[in-house]
Amino acid sequence: MSHDESRPPAEGTYWYDAKKIGVSPAIEVLQAVRRFRVADAAMRHRAQTEMNVNETDMTAIRHLIACERLHRVASPKDLSEFLNISSAATAKLLSRLSASGHIRREVNPHDGRAQRLFATQSSHEQVRQVLSGTHEQLMQVALDLTADQQAAIVQFLDAMSAIAVGPRPEVSAERESTAAALLRSPQVKG
């Protein structure tokens, strides 16, 4: 039996049963989170367009700026791990960002071989120019909250983040079930 794609599921039936008591306001919270994620993606896309970089480039530039603020020096390996990309992809990224004037590479003075990566002053200025007004407005929204509201939002978003990056419950349950079955099964000797 196939699903009729021309008729979307009834409202509230896709993930949540809106008829459950107390669920409706919770759905509104999750819908607000989704609206923010869409708006945040649009803001990031706008910044990437203005800086003439792609998403990975922008993430790399912002990471290098963050490292500088923390007085850490990034290496190609660090950047590769942060972006979760191969060393070959990192090499292409670094060539592209160097050629466009967004980053500078220096030889590590301690060993004369390893590279140290920095965002250029121009990149710092571009990021500030593109995002500072928006960041100031976002900060004002956060400052307008009471301390209790701020704490509740931090707790909520941290819990949501933990769920988003953690394994899916059904996958974990399936893996645990498989592991338990393997532990119970007799060892086959070859």
Side-chain angles (χ1 to χ4, degrees), residues 62-74 78 117:
R62 291 182 73 185
H63 178 66
L64 295 180
I65 290 171
C67 286
E68 291 174 36
R69 284 187 182 144
L70 296 171
H71 304 288
R72 283 187 40 233
V73 177
D78 297 330
L117 306 173

Side-chain angles (χ1 to χ4, degrees), residues 125-144:
E125 290 168 6
Q126 284 181 312
V127 168
R128 248 191 314 277
Q129 179 184 6
V130 168
L131 297 174
S132 67
T134 303
H135 284 177
E136 289 168 8
Q137 291 174 3
L138 292 171
M139 178 58 78
Q140 189 57 54
V141 170
L143 288 169
D144 288 344

Side-chain angles (χ1 to χ4, degrees), residues 3-4 16 36 51 72 85 105-106 114 121 133 148 152 179:
H3 173 71
D4 181 359
Y16 315 106
F36 174 75
M51 288 184 65
R72 283 187 40 233
I85 60 175
R105 301 188 244 193
E106 294 179 0
Q121 187 60 35
D148 287 344

Side-chain angles (χ1 to χ4, degrees), residues 10 27-28 31 36 57 81 86 90 98 103 129 135-136 162 183:
I27 290 172
E28 290 176 26
Q31 288 172 339
F36 174 75
D57 295 350
E81 289 173 1
S86 69
T90 302
S98 292
I103 67 162
Q129 179 184 6
H135 284 177
E136 289 168 8
L183 291 173

Side-chain angles (χ1 to χ4, degrees), residues 45-66:
H45 181 73
R46 187 173 57 248
Q48 293 161 23
T49 300
E50 289 184 33
M51 288 184 65
N52 198 28
V53 295
N54 65 33
E55 183 176 359
T56 304
D57 295 350
M58 184 63 137
T59 302
I61 292 166
R62 291 182 73 185
H63 178 66
L64 295 180
I65 290 171

